[in-house]
Amino acid sequence: MPAHAPNPAPPAPDPLADPLARERAHLTASRAALRAMREDVQALDIRDVTANWVNAAVLQAQIEGRIKALADLSHTPLFFGRLDYLHTTQEGQRFYIGRRHVHDADGDPMVIDWRAPVSQPFYRASRKDPLDVGLRRRFGYTSGELTAYEDEHLTDPAEQNRTSKLLQAEIERPRVGPMRDIVATIQPEQDEIVRSGLSGTVCVQGGPGTGKTAVGLHRVAYLLYAHRERLARTGTLVIGPNKSFLHYIEQVLPALGELEVKQATVDDLVAHVEVRGADEASAAVVKGDARMAEVLRQAVRSHVTMPAEPLMVVRGSRRWRIPAYELEEIVRELLDRDIRYGAARDALPQRIAHSVLVRMEQAGEAPDDRVQDAVARNPAVKTAVKALWPPVDPAKLVLRLLSDPDFLATHAEGVLSPDEQKTILWTKPARGVRSAKWSLADAVLIDEANDLVQRTHSLGHVVIDEAQDLSPMQYRAVGRRCTTGSATVLGDLAQGTTPWATASWAEALSHLGKPDATVEELTAGFRVPREVIAYASRLLPHMSPGLAEVKSVRESPGSLSVREVEATDLNAAVVAACAESLDNEGSIGLIAADARIPSLAEALTSAGHSYLSPGEETTAESRLTLVPASLAKGLEYDYVVLDEPAAVVDGEPDERTGLRRLYVALTRAVSGLILLHAAPLPAQLGR
């Protein structure tokens, strides 16, 4: 009987038959390709490439920057989405969308930068307008590992009403530490702003949780991608309201591969003197008024004097006489041109020298440019220029304006009222610039005076966040930094908490020097739960009537808890609420009126709870941050414990500002808000 052949062994399972396994394999291959890209740059030998050491140093710095940009951050997913195209030029093409471009050894793309045009449909495509995309795939990650995917078949009618669970989970993901990018969750209306052109200025009005800060930062990243060479020459700057806020956002752009963008506060920009003093609110309002620019302009120009006698220039054996009336014509012509004081002063000796050369030519001589330059350096000409157009020190000028009532009255006549002049005058005049107790508003005035003397350097693009709190003079200071560039202005009129807070964006943009800017409004909230934002919005009619209420897309039942306690038990109740919140995953912010911070700090310490200060969230020492209400703007926490709302309101100089401060504090929570009070709640919150 013939022997039977053994049964063939079953084929080994193909690990790549599983879609998730295939995506993980692509992730592994992409990471290997990124490492190879970095190794190729590290292996570059430039010893015989450059002609001199200067070029070598520049090229080496560029190489080191490229190596740093190609670092593989293990906790940051290399790609977060995939597009499968249907027809047109991308027929059958599949693109993985990520934070940076990655290509293989043959130069074929493995990951497409999210800013590339081919990536745009990932954010804009919809079932109504699929933009030639058949499938959009989103990926879910856990600790940097690809763990899930979710498909949207944009041309399938059966999926018309399905929402993305991965997208929602990413939006709601608990946050610990600094602000992170939203590159995987940008919404169509946000993407439109992000990809707007470099030539125009955009103002984004957005309520809490609408993502305006993230939109502004991602716009910077997009502009650097689309106009890298131009912005590399002209520079880019992000301006925030305070150092704590800048620490909070500082990791967003590096995560997107942009390492060279500078960050500063307005105070950093105008740091011409050491700030050691503070103004009363009434004085700060007047100093921040745009009319102060005219006062300064008149004060600067007042240094120019008209000649009373002719000028005699001696060259060799000849003397050349310029009559006083001709000198006056030269001076008045420069004044009428209204150019900067320093530029006009530099031009004056050349104008005088030109008049001398005209006389030389009339006498039969043939002087050239070298003779004109020599005449301009003549001691008599230098002496005349010093007398007619003396140098101006901006700090000394402002010091005199604030110290000398007569000098201020002369140049503020018809601009500031006598009462306003009295408000900004120092009660104790300083002896000199170094001994003066300058305020922040004074520093802005010095910056304005400095620009009247010499032009401020302009950047290619400037982002101003929390702009609603800038004074008109601060807007002018920022505007000087982008006179030849563009800006992204971010803010919320309802969150203006300074006495000089912006009344309208049209007015603010005029002071910025960008009156033709486009104003966009974001009204869809993605971070703050619907119950919390609806409660906070009760304040809007009382502080910002007419402003659109944010409509949150997030439903989170039980996210708001309002608790009344006895005054003697308030601190203990706050500490207990913090402990309760720490049982959840994510960050916790304890927000309180500034005056209450020392008492709460002592209570937390006594209870054994460590805590951070705003801006220290990058450390891992604690998930709890103790936040003065004055520093809460722009920050976000998964859970917020809000202490004594009435104290927050009472801590401000007037009720409207206090309500706005409370509105800010109420809207910092991403997952839950516990509000504790012993005093009656502000009546504007209702029952």
Side-chain angles (χ1 to χ4, degrees):
M1 184 174 179
H4 292 284
N7 291 327
D14 181 4
L16 298 186
D18 176 14
L20 187 58
R22 286 200 302 270
E23 303 296 13
R24 286 172 173 166
H26 186 78
L27 177 61
T28 301
S30 298
R31 289 198 182 281
L34 180 61
R35 286 195 300 273
M37 290 170 61
R38 194 165 191 258
E39 290 167 358
D40 287 345
V41 178
Q42 290 173 324
L44 289 175
D45 186 351
I46 62 171
R47 286 176 294 182
D48 299 325
V49 175
T50 56
N52 55 59
W53 69 270
V54 176
N55 291 340
V58 172
L59 184 56
Q60 185 61 42
Q62 292 174 340
I63 290 174
E64 290 174 358
R66 179 63 175 161
I67 292 171
K68 190 175 181 180
L70 289 172
D72 186 4
L73 306 178
S74 59
H75 61 281
T76 302
L78 202 55
F79 57 80
F80 48 81
R82 193 184 95 187
L83 291 177
D84 291 5
Y85 278 89
L86 291 172
H87 311 102
T88 67
T89 57
Q90 310 295 345
E91 182 172 358
Q93 291 292 317
R94 173 180 295 172
F95 296 102
Y96 287 83
I97 313 302
R99 288 170 173 79
R100 67 186 69 198
H101 173 86
V102 180
H103 60 254
D104 61 18
D106 297 324
D108 294 327
M110 301 190 70
V111 180
I112 301 292
D113 194 300
W114 67 275
R115 298 166 287 188
V118 75
S119 303
Q120 184 171 326
F122 184 79
Y123 304 105
R124 301 277 188 95
S126 65
R127 292 175 180 86
K128 290 183 179 180
D129 185 10
L131 299 177
D132 198 40
V133 174
L135 179 141
R136 172 168 54 202
R137 174 169 287 181
R138 300 182 189 274
F139 297 104
Y141 288 83
T142 302
S143 301
E145 295 296 323
L146 200 162
T147 55
Y149 70 89
E150 181 181 67
D151 289 344
E152 296 175 79
H153 297 276
L154 299 180
T155 57
D156 186 351
E159 295 191 10
Q160 289 298 312
N161 298 318
R162 192 171 67 84
T163 58
S164 171
K165 293 182 179 179
L166 280 182
L167 176 62
Q168 189 71 17
E170 174 62 22
I171 291 175
E172 298 178 2
R173 180 161 58 98
R175 59 189 313 113
V176 176
M179 179 181 179
R180 57 176 182 255
D181 66 73
I182 62 165
V183 67
T185 62
I186 295 174
Q187 299 301 295
E189 63 272 22
Q190 296 173 327
D191 187 67
E192 187 173 345
I193 298 171
V194 167
R195 296 177 191 268
S196 54
L198 176 62
S199 59
T201 291
V202 177
C203 175
V204 183
Q205 158 65 38
T210 56
K212 58 184 178 297
T213 296
V215 165
L217 294 174
H218 286 67
R219 186 181 182 216
V220 171
Y222 172 77
L223 292 176
L224 286 168
Y225 175 86
H227 308 278
R228 188 166 301 281
E229 290 187 5
R230 177 177 172 183
L231 290 178
R233 294 193 306 270
T234 56
T236 307
L237 176 67
V238 174
I239 300 174
N242 51 57
K243 295 292 186 182
S244 297
F245 179 84
L246 292 178
H247 283 308
Y248 177 63
I249 68 170
E250 66 185 355
Q251 296 302 319
V252 174
L253 288 169
L256 298 173
E258 302 300 342
L259 307 173
E260 303 301 326
V261 179
K262 296 182 179 179
Q263 298 181 348
T265 65
V266 175
D267 301 339
D268 295 331
L269 300 183
V270 300
H272 305 287
V273 292
E274 182 183 359
V275 174
R276 298 185 298 145
D279 286 313
E280 295 289 338
S282 57
V285 168
V286 177
K287 290 179 180 180
D289 194 295
R291 292 175 296 162
M292 287 300 300
E294 178 59 23
V295 175
L296 289 165
R297 177 180 171 275
Q298 293 188 30
V300 168
R301 290 167 65 94
S302 72
H303 289 75
V304 178
T305 59
M306 295 302 161
E309 55 187 31
L311 169 65
M312 191 69 69
V313 178
V314 179
R315 276 188 58 81
S317 61
R318 302 292 300 269
R319 292 188 174 191
W320 307 100
R321 181 178 180 274
I322 309 298
Y325 76 85
E326 189 170 335
L327 290 173
E328 183 174 340
E329 288 177 355
I330 294 172
V331 171
R332 291 195 182 279
E333 179 193 0
L334 288 172
L335 284 172
D336 291 341
R337 289 183 60 191
D338 203 23
I339 59 178
R340 280 172 172 77
Y341 187 91
R345 188 175 189 275
D346 292 339
L348 181 57
Q350 290 291 335
R351 296 296 178 88
I352 295 174
H354 176 73
S355 294
V356 173
L357 260 65
V358 169
R359 284 165 171 74
M360 289 180 176
E361 291 171 347
Q362 291 172 345
E365 297 187 17
D368 56 18
D369 291 344
R370 290 175 298 177
V371 174
Q372 179 167 335
D373 290 339
V375 172
R377 296 192 300 269
N378 184 279
V381 174
K382 288 183 177 181
T383 300
V385 169
K386 187 175 181 179
L388 299 174
W389 212 292
V392 171
D393 183 300
K396 290 181 179 179
L397 175 76
V398 174
L399 177 65
R400 187 179 177 190
L401 274 174
L402 299 177
S403 304
D404 186 340
D406 294 334
F407 187 68
L408 176 61
T410 299
H411 304 298
E413 184 178 0
V415 182
L416 300 179
S417 70
D419 286 342
E420 288 174 321
Q421 295 175 36
K422 186 177 180 180
T423 298
I424 65 174
L425 278 168
W426 288 346
T427 55
K428 294 181 179 180
R431 295 180 179 178
V433 171
R434 292 190 176 182
S435 62
K437 290 187 176 181
W438 298 105
S439 69
L440 294 174
D442 297 335
V444 178
L445 296 180
I446 295 172
D447 190 70
E448 179 82 26
N450 188 71
D451 187 69
L452 289 168
V453 175
Q454 58 184 7
R455 184 183 297 276
T456 303
H457 175 67
S458 176
L459 300 168
H461 192 78
V462 172
V463 176
I464 317 116
D465 205 353
E466 302 296 345
Q468 73 281 345
D469 278 335
L470 299 186
S471 70
M473 291 297 287
Q474 287 176 317
Y475 275 115
R476 291 176 61 88
V478 174
R480 287 192 283 277
R481 272 74 184 178
C482 56
T483 51
T484 59
S486 56
T488 301
V489 182
L490 310 168
D492 179 13
L493 297 179
Q495 296 186 58
T497 52
T498 55
W500 50 82
T502 302
S504 72
W505 289 122
E507 178 184 339
L509 293 168
S510 176
H511 294 312
L512 188 69
K514 308 291 182 182
D516 299 327
T518 301
V519 180
E520 303 283 355
E521 187 169 12
L522 297 175
T523 58
F526 301 98
R527 298 290 291 169
V528 184
R530 184 176 301 174
E531 191 175 1
V532 173
I533 195 65
Y535 185 71
S537 295
R538 296 180 183 184
L539 301 175
L540 283 177
H542 306 282
M543 62 186 197
S544 299
L547 202 62
E549 178 182 339
V550 173
K551 300 295 184 183
S552 178
V553 301
R554 293 187 55 207
E555 292 188 21
S556 183
S559 56
L560 173 66
S561 175
V562 180
R563 305 172 185 176
E564 184 175 7
V565 299
E566 294 294 332
T568 54
D569 299 331
L570 182 57
N571 283 7
V574 168
V575 171
C578 291
E580 176 186 336
S581 299
L582 285 167
D583 288 337
N584 301 309
E585 183 183 1
S587 58
I588 293 88
L590 168 54
I591 303 177
D594 291 28
R596 289 270 298 149
I597 293 298
S599 174
L600 292 174
E602 183 179 350
L604 288 172
T605 302
S606 298
H609 292 294
S610 61
Y611 60 89
L612 307 172
S613 297
E616 296 178 348
E617 287 87 354
T618 54
T619 69
E621 296 176 2
S622 174
R623 292 189 292 123
L624 173 63
T625 305
L626 179 57
V627 188
S630 61
L631 296 181
K633 194 172 299 178
L635 306 180
E636 280 186 349
Y637 301 94
D638 286 292
Y639 295 89
V640 166
V641 177
L642 177 57
D643 168 83
E644 200 61 278
V648 174
V649 176
D650 294 341
E652 300 299 325
D654 58 80
E655 183 181 70
R656 185 179 185 187
T657 304
L659 292 176
R660 288 184 171 183
R661 186 74 73 188
L662 177 58
Y663 180 76
V664 171
L666 287 168
T667 53
R668 300 304 94 199
V670 172
S671 297
L673 169 66
I674 300 176
L675 186 156
L676 296 111
H677 69 101
L681 290 173
Q684 294 83 353
L685 281 175
R687 294 184 60 186

Coordinates of all heavy atoms in Angstrom, one line a residue, residues 114-154:
W114 N 2.6 68.2 7.5 CA 1.2 68.6 7.6 C 0.9 69.9 6.9 O -0.2 70.3 6.5 CB 0.8 68.7 9.0 CG 1.5 69.8 9.8 CD1 2.7 69.7 10.4 CD2 1.0 71.1 10.0 NE1 3.0 70.9 11.0 CE2 2.0 71.8 10.8 CE3 -0.2 71.8 9.7 CZ2 1.8 73.1 11.2 CZ3 -0.3 73.1 10.1 CH2 0.7 73.8 10.9
R115 N 2.0 70.7 6.6 CA 1.9 72.0 6.0 C 1.9 72.0 4.5 O 1.6 73.0 3.8 CB 3.0 72.9 6.5 CG 2.9 73.2 8.0 CD 4.2 73.8 8.6 NE 5.3 72.8 8.6 CZ 6.4 73.1 9.2 NH1 6.7 74.2 9.8 NH2 7.4 72.2 9.2
A116 N 2.3 70.8 3.9 CA 2.4 70.7 2.5 C 1.0 70.8 1.9 O 0.0 70.4 2.5 CB 3.0 69.4 2.1
P117 N 0.8 71.3 0.6 CA -0.5 71.5 0.0 C -1.2 70.1 -0.1 O -2.5 70.1 0.1 CB -0.1 72.0 -1.4 CG 1.1 72.8 -1.2 CD 1.9 72.0 -0.2
V118 N -0.5 69.0 -0.3 CA -1.2 67.7 -0.5 C -1.8 67.3 0.8 O -2.7 66.4 0.9 CB -0.2 66.7 -1.0 CG1 0.8 66.3 0.1 CG2 -0.9 65.5 -1.6
S119 N -1.4 67.9 2.0 CA -1.9 67.5 3.3 C -3.2 68.3 3.6 O -3.9 67.9 4.6 CB -0.9 67.7 4.4 OG 0.3 67.0 4.1
Q120 N -3.4 69.3 2.9 CA -4.5 70.2 3.3 C -5.9 69.5 3.4 O -6.7 69.7 4.3 CB -4.6 71.4 2.3 CG -5.7 72.4 2.7 CD -5.6 73.7 1.9 OE1 -4.5 74.1 1.5 NE2 -6.7 74.2 1.5
P121 N -6.2 68.6 2.5 CA -7.5 67.9 2.6 C -7.7 67.1 3.9 O -8.8 66.8 4.2 CB -7.5 66.9 1.3 CG -6.6 67.6 0.3 CD -5.5 68.3 1.2
F122 N -6.6 66.8 4.6 CA -6.7 66.0 5.8 C -7.6 66.9 6.8 O -8.3 66.4 7.6 CB -5.4 65.7 6.4 CG -5.4 64.9 7.7 CD1 -5.6 63.6 7.7 CD2 -5.3 65.6 9.0 CE1 -5.7 62.8 8.8 CE2 -5.4 64.8 10.1 CZ -5.6 63.4 10.1
Y123 N -7.4 68.2 6.7 CA -8.2 69.1 7.6 C -9.4 69.7 6.9 O -10.4 70.0 7.6 CB -7.3 70.3 8.0 CG -6.0 69.9 8.6 CD1 -4.8 69.9 7.9 CD2 -6.0 69.4 9.9 CE1 -3.6 69.5 8.5 CE2 -4.8 69.0 10.5 CZ -3.6 69.0 9.8 OH -2.4 68.6 10.4
R124 N -9.5 69.8 5.6 CA -10.6 70.4 4.9 C -11.6 69.5 4.3 O -12.8 69.9 4.1 CB -10.1 71.3 3.8 CG -9.1 72.4 4.3 CD -9.7 73.6 4.8 NE -8.8 74.7 5.1 CZ -8.5 75.7 4.2 NH1 -9.1 75.7 3.0 NH2 -7.6 76.6 4.5
A125 N -11.2 68.3 4.0 CA -12.1 67.4 3.3 C -13.3 67.0 4.2 O -13.2 66.8 5.4 CB -11.4 66.1 2.9
S126 N -14.5 66.9 3.6 CA -15.7 66.5 4.3 C -16.5 65.7 3.3 O -16.2 65.5 2.2 CB -16.5 67.8 4.7 OG -17.0 68.5 3.5
R127 N -17.6 65.1 3.9 CA -18.5 64.2 3.1 C -19.2 65.1 2.0 O -19.6 64.6 1.0 CB -19.4 63.5 3.9 CG -18.7 62.4 4.8 CD -19.5 61.7 5.8 NE -18.7 60.7 6.6 CZ -18.1 61.0 7.7 NH1 -18.1 62.3 8.1 NH2 -17.3 60.1 8.3
K128 N -19.4 66.3 2.3 CA -20.1 67.2 1.3 C -19.1 67.6 0.2 O -19.4 67.8 -0.9 CB -20.6 68.5 2.0 CG -21.8 68.2 2.9 CD -22.3 69.5 3.5 CE -23.6 69.3 4.3 NZ -24.1 70.6 4.9
D129 N -17.8 67.8 0.6 CA -16.8 68.1 -0.3 C -15.5 67.3 0.0 O -14.6 67.7 0.7 CB -16.5 69.6 -0.2 CG -15.5 70.1 -1.3 OD1 -15.2 69.3 -2.2 OD2 -15.0 71.2 -1.2
P130 N -15.4 66.1 -0.5 CA -14.3 65.2 -0.2 C -13.0 65.6 -0.7 O -11.9 65.0 -0.3 CB -14.8 63.8 -0.8 CG -15.7 64.2 -1.9 CD -16.4 65.4 -1.4
L131 N -12.9 66.6 -1.6 CA -11.6 67.0 -2.2 C -10.8 65.9 -2.8 O -9.6 65.8 -2.6 CB -10.8 67.8 -1.1 CG -11.5 69.0 -0.5 CD1 -10.6 69.6 0.6 CD2 -11.7 70.0 -1.6
D132 N -11.5 65.0 -3.4 CA -10.9 63.8 -4.1 C -10.2 62.8 -3.2 O -9.4 62.0 -3.6 CB -9.8 64.3 -5.1 CG -9.4 63.3 -6.1 OD1 -10.4 62.6 -6.6 OD2 -8.3 63.1 -6.5
V133 N -10.6 62.9 -1.9 CA -10.1 61.9 -0.9 C -11.2 60.8 -0.7 O -12.3 61.1 -0.4 CB -9.8 62.6 0.4 CG1 -9.4 61.6 1.5 CG2 -8.7 63.6 0.2
G134 N -10.7 59.6 -0.9 CA -11.6 58.5 -0.7 C -11.7 58.0 0.7 O -12.7 57.7 1.3
L135 N -10.5 58.0 1.4 CA -10.4 57.5 2.8 C -9.5 58.5 3.5 O -8.4 58.8 3.1 CB -9.9 56.1 2.8 CG -9.7 55.5 4.2 CD1 -10.2 54.0 4.2 CD2 -8.3 55.6 4.7
R136 N -9.9 58.8 4.7 CA -9.1 59.6 5.7 C -9.0 58.7 6.9 O -9.9 58.3 7.5 CB -9.7 60.9 6.0 CG -9.0 61.6 7.2 CD -9.4 63.1 7.3 NE -10.8 63.2 7.5 CZ -11.5 64.3 7.2 NH1 -10.9 65.4 6.8 NH2 -12.8 64.3 7.4
R137 N -7.7 58.4 7.2 CA -7.5 57.5 8.4 C -6.8 58.3 9.5 O -5.8 59.0 9.2 CB -6.6 56.3 8.0 CG -6.2 55.4 9.1 CD -5.6 54.1 8.6 NE -6.6 53.2 8.1 CZ -6.3 52.0 7.5 NH1 -5.1 51.6 7.5 NH2 -7.3 51.3 7.1
R138 N -7.3 58.2 10.7 CA -6.7 58.8 11.9 C -6.1 57.7 12.7 O -6.6 56.6 12.8 CB -7.7 59.6 12.7 CG -8.4 60.7 11.9 CD -9.3 61.5 12.8 NE -10.1 62.4 12.0 CZ -9.7 63.7 11.7 NH1 -8.5 64.1 12.1 NH2 -10.5 64.5 11.0
F139 N -4.9 58.0 13.4 CA -4.2 57.0 14.2 C -4.3 57.4 15.7 O -4.2 58.6 16.0 CB -2.8 56.9 13.8 CG -2.6 56.4 12.3 CD1 -2.3 57.2 11.3 CD2 -2.9 55.1 12.1 CE1 -2.2 56.8 10.0 CE2 -2.8 54.6 10.7 CZ -2.4 55.4 9.7
G140 N -4.4 56.4 16.5 CA -4.4 56.6 18.0 C -3.1 56.1 18.5 O -2.6 55.0 18.1
Y141 N -2.5 56.8 19.5 CA -1.2 56.4 20.1 C -1.4 56.4 21.6 O -2.1 57.1 22.2 CB -0.1 57.4 19.7 CG 0.3 57.4 18.3 CD1 -0.4 58.0 17.3 CD2 1.4 56.7 17.9 CE1 0.0 58.0 16.0 CE2 1.9 56.6 16.6 CZ 1.1 57.3 15.6 OH 1.5 57.2 14.3
T142 N -0.6 55.5 22.2 CA -0.5 55.4 23.6 C 1.0 55.3 24.0 O 1.7 54.4 23.6 CB -1.2 54.1 24.2 OG1 -2.5 54.1 23.8 CG2 -1.0 54.1 25.7
S143 N 1.5 56.4 24.7 CA 2.9 56.5 25.0 C 3.8 56.3 23.8 O 4.9 55.7 23.8 CB 3.3 55.4 26.1 OG 2.5 55.6 27.2
G144 N 3.4 56.9 22.7 CA 4.2 56.9 21.5 C 4.0 55.7 20.6 O 4.6 55.6 19.5
E145 N 3.3 54.7 21.1 CA 3.1 53.5 20.3 C 1.7 53.6 19.6 O 0.7 54.0 20.2 CB 3.1 52.3 21.3 CG 4.4 52.0 21.9 CD 5.5 51.6 20.9 OE1 5.2 50.9 19.9 OE2 6.6 52.1 21.1
L146 N 1.7 53.2 18.3 CA 0.5 53.2 17.5 C -0.4 52.1 18.0 O 0.0 50.9 17.9 CB 0.9 53.0 16.0 CG -0.2 53.5 15.0 CD1 0.5 53.6 13.6 CD2 -1.3 52.5 14.9
T147 N -1.6 52.4 18.5 CA -2.4 51.4 19.1 C -3.8 51.3 18.4 O -4.5 50.3 18.7 CB -2.7 51.7 20.6 OG1 -3.2 53.0 20.7 CG2 -1.4 51.6 21.4
A148 N -4.2 52.2 17.6 CA -5.5 52.2 17.0 C -5.5 53.0 15.7 O -4.7 53.8 15.5 CB -6.5 52.7 18.0
Y149 N -6.6 52.7 14.9 CA -6.8 53.6 13.7 C -8.3 53.7 13.5 O -9.1 52.8 14.0 CB -6.1 53.0 12.5 CG -6.7 51.7 11.9 CD1 -7.7 51.8 11.0 CD2 -6.2 50.5 12.4 CE1 -8.2 50.6 10.5 CE2 -6.7 49.3 11.9 CZ -7.7 49.4 10.9 OH -8.3 48.2 10.4
E150 N -8.7 54.7 12.8 CA -10.1 54.9 12.5 C -10.3 55.5 11.1 O -9.5 56.4 10.7 CB -10.7 55.9 13.5 CG -12.1 56.2 13.4 CD -12.6 57.2 14.4 OE1 -12.2 58.3 14.4 OE2 -13.4 56.8 15.3
D151 N -11.2 54.9 10.3 CA -11.3 55.3 8.9 C -12.6 56.1 8.7 O -13.6 55.8 9.3 CB -11.3 54.0 8.0 CG -10.0 53.4 7.9 OD1 -9.0 54.0 8.3 OD2 -9.9 52.2 7.4
E152 N -12.5 57.1 7.8 CA -13.6 57.8 7.3 C -13.7 57.7 5.8 O -12.8 58.1 5.1 CB -13.5 59.3 7.7 CG -13.5 59.6 9.1 CD -13.2 61.1 9.4 OE1 -14.2 61.9 9.2 OE2 -12.1 61.5 9.7
H153 N -14.7 57.0 5.3 CA -14.9 56.8 3.9 C -15.8 58.0 3.4 O -17.0 58.0 3.6 CB -15.6 55.5 3.6 CG -14.7 54.3 4.0 ND1 -13.7 53.8 3.2 CD2 -14.7 53.6 5.1 CE1 -13.2 52.8 3.8 NE2 -13.7 52.6 5.0
L154 N -15.1 59.0 2.9 CA -15.8 60.3 2.6 C -16.8 60.2 1.5 O -17.6 61.1 1.4 CB -14.7 61.4 2.3 CG -13.7 61.6 3.5 CD1 -12.7 62.7 3.1 CD2 -14.4 62.1 4.7

